[in-house]
Amino acid sequence: MNAAPLVGYSSSGSEDEAEAVAAGRSKPGSGLHRCGQNPLPSQRFPVPDSVLNMFPSTEEGPEDDSARHGGRIRTFPHERGNWATHIYIPYEANEEFQDLLDVLLPRAQMFAPRLVQMEEFHLSLSQSVVLRHHWILPFVQVLKDRMASFQRFFFTANRVKIYTNQEKTRTFIGLEVSSGHAQFLDMVSEVDRVMKEFDLTTFYQDPSFHVSLAWCVGDARLQLEGQCQQELQLSSPCCWLKEIVDEFEDSEMLLRVLAEQVRCKSGNKFFSMPLK
């Protein structure tokens, strides 16, 4: 989840004249019907395809080609002037976290070979919603005001859990939050107030805050829940992966994350709100 024109402004002069001709009227001073002369026959010649292809219709939005996005399907169709908007806590993965993923992902791929690593890591504070372009800046300003009172805090995400999106078109392996849940609930409460103010969808009633690690197309819960999830469970004392985690130099801090900012992504625009 680039910068296309938001509004197509047309040349009013040529379109007005075309409309007048189509309605059988002539514009004053246009000279379409000269005095004492018959109007020219309204014969149209077909425009060659080679010319038409040079000017694609500006009314059509980008084609939703899932092959260009790893097989992902849009939750809602593209429409000019609508911007997909999402609020989240970003997480910048360090080298040790990436080393952990390099061990975890191949193990999970034994059960679901289509799994791929997330391109970036974050913890969601909102669902993806549609925002009209002219509401982006007012929306972000209200959100900044709501987030201004929150302070930075640590949270821990160390419980492996399997998730799907609402449409069951994608499956995720995530690390669920085990500490910091109360702070996230407070933040979501304020985010929801902003959503309601702009008549947008609020967050889930009983959210499972998590950081997604990998994903695949389709509903892969059958393959990933059960044995796979148990083998990846970092908190289990008998988990083979926990032994690997314990070998890291600062294993206690490996899955302890500092929430430093809230970020809002709307289309291709990013807005950061540092926490105090």
Side-chain angles (χ1 to χ4, degrees):
M1 54 200 152
N2 290 337
L6 297 175
V7 181
Y9 293 100
S10 60
S11 173
S12 60
S14 60
E15 287 194 355
D16 288 346
E17 185 168 310
E19 290 174 1
V21 173
R25 304 188 306 269
S26 61
K27 292 182 64 179
S30 65
L32 291 177
H33 292 261
R34 295 183 181 179
C35 181
Q37 294 185 5
N38 292 326
L40 294 173
S42 57
Q43 183 177 1
R44 293 186 177 182
F45 296 95
V47 181
D49 291 340
S50 59
V51 176
L52 290 175
N53 292 334
M54 296 172 59
F55 304 98
S57 172
T58 57
E59 297 299 321
E60 296 180 1
E63 183 179 353
D64 289 339
D65 185 0
S66 61
R68 297 174 58 188
H69 307 284
R72 287 175 290 181
I73 301 173
R74 286 182 180 271
T75 303
F76 37 80
H78 172 84
E79 184 177 336
R80 186 180 296 275
N82 284 352
W83 291 59
T85 303
H86 178 221
I87 301 167
Y88 59 94
I89 301 283
Y91 172 56
E92 303 295 337
N94 55 32
E95 184 176 351
E96 288 190 332
F97 186 80
Q98 185 60 56
D99 289 341
L100 175 63
L101 287 182
D102 290 342
V103 176
L104 184 148
L105 185 56
R107 189 77 171 193
Q109 287 172 332
M110 294 173 61
F111 298 87
R114 296 172 296 168
L115 281 168
V116 294
Q117 181 179 308
M118 301 292 294
E119 295 180 359
E120 59 181 23
F121 305 99
H122 64 265
L123 186 145
S124 294
L125 299 177
S126 79
Q127 298 192 57
S128 290
V129 296
V130 176
L131 196 62
R132 297 294 294 175
H133 178 258
H134 59 277
W135 285 118
I136 294 177
L137 292 182
F139 177 88
V140 171
Q141 185 57 56
V142 174
L143 181 63
K144 285 183 177 180
D145 294 342
R146 296 292 187 191
M147 296 293 104
S149 62
F150 287 96
Q151 298 181 342
R152 293 181 294 174
F153 63 94
F154 280 98
F155 67 93
T156 302
N158 61 358
R159 292 194 295 238
V160 174
K161 193 168 181 178
I162 310 303
Y163 300 89
T164 64
N165 60 353
Q166 288 183 324
E167 297 78 18
K168 304 295 189 295
T169 57
R170 281 185 284 167
T171 304
F172 302 85
I173 295 180
L175 288 178
E176 187 182 30
V177 166
S178 59
S179 69
H181 191 84
Q183 289 95 322
F184 287 126
L185 283 177
D186 290 341
M187 300 182 84
V188 165
S189 176
E190 292 301 314
V191 171
D192 280 351
R193 291 179 64 184
V194 179
M195 294 294 183
K196 290 177 182 177
E197 187 170 336
F198 287 82
D199 197 24
L200 298 171
T201 305
T202 57
F203 206 41
Y204 307 105
Q205 289 296 316
D206 186 20
S208 172
F209 298 109
H210 64 278
V211 177
S212 292
L213 306 177
W215 71 281
C216 67
V217 173
D219 187 351
R221 287 175 298 173
L222 185 63
Q223 297 95 311
L224 295 175
E225 290 179 342
Q227 182 182 350
C228 177
Q229 186 173 347
Q230 290 175 4
E231 291 190 10
L232 301 179
Q233 205 60 256
L234 304 173
S235 57
S236 174
C238 59
C239 175
W240 65 274
L241 196 56
K242 184 177 185 303
E243 297 178 3
I244 297 176
V245 173
D246 291 340
E247 294 177 359
F248 285 98
E249 183 177 349
D250 196 1
S251 60
E252 292 185 0
M253 294 296 295
L254 179 59
L255 301 174
R256 193 164 181 252
V257 183
L258 178 62
E260 298 182 275
Q261 63 171 298
V262 174
R263 188 173 294 171
C264 176
K265 179 184 179 183
S266 189
N268 60 350
K269 300 179 183 295
F270 293 86
F271 304 90
S272 295
M273 287 143 268
L275 303 179
K276 295 193 299 183

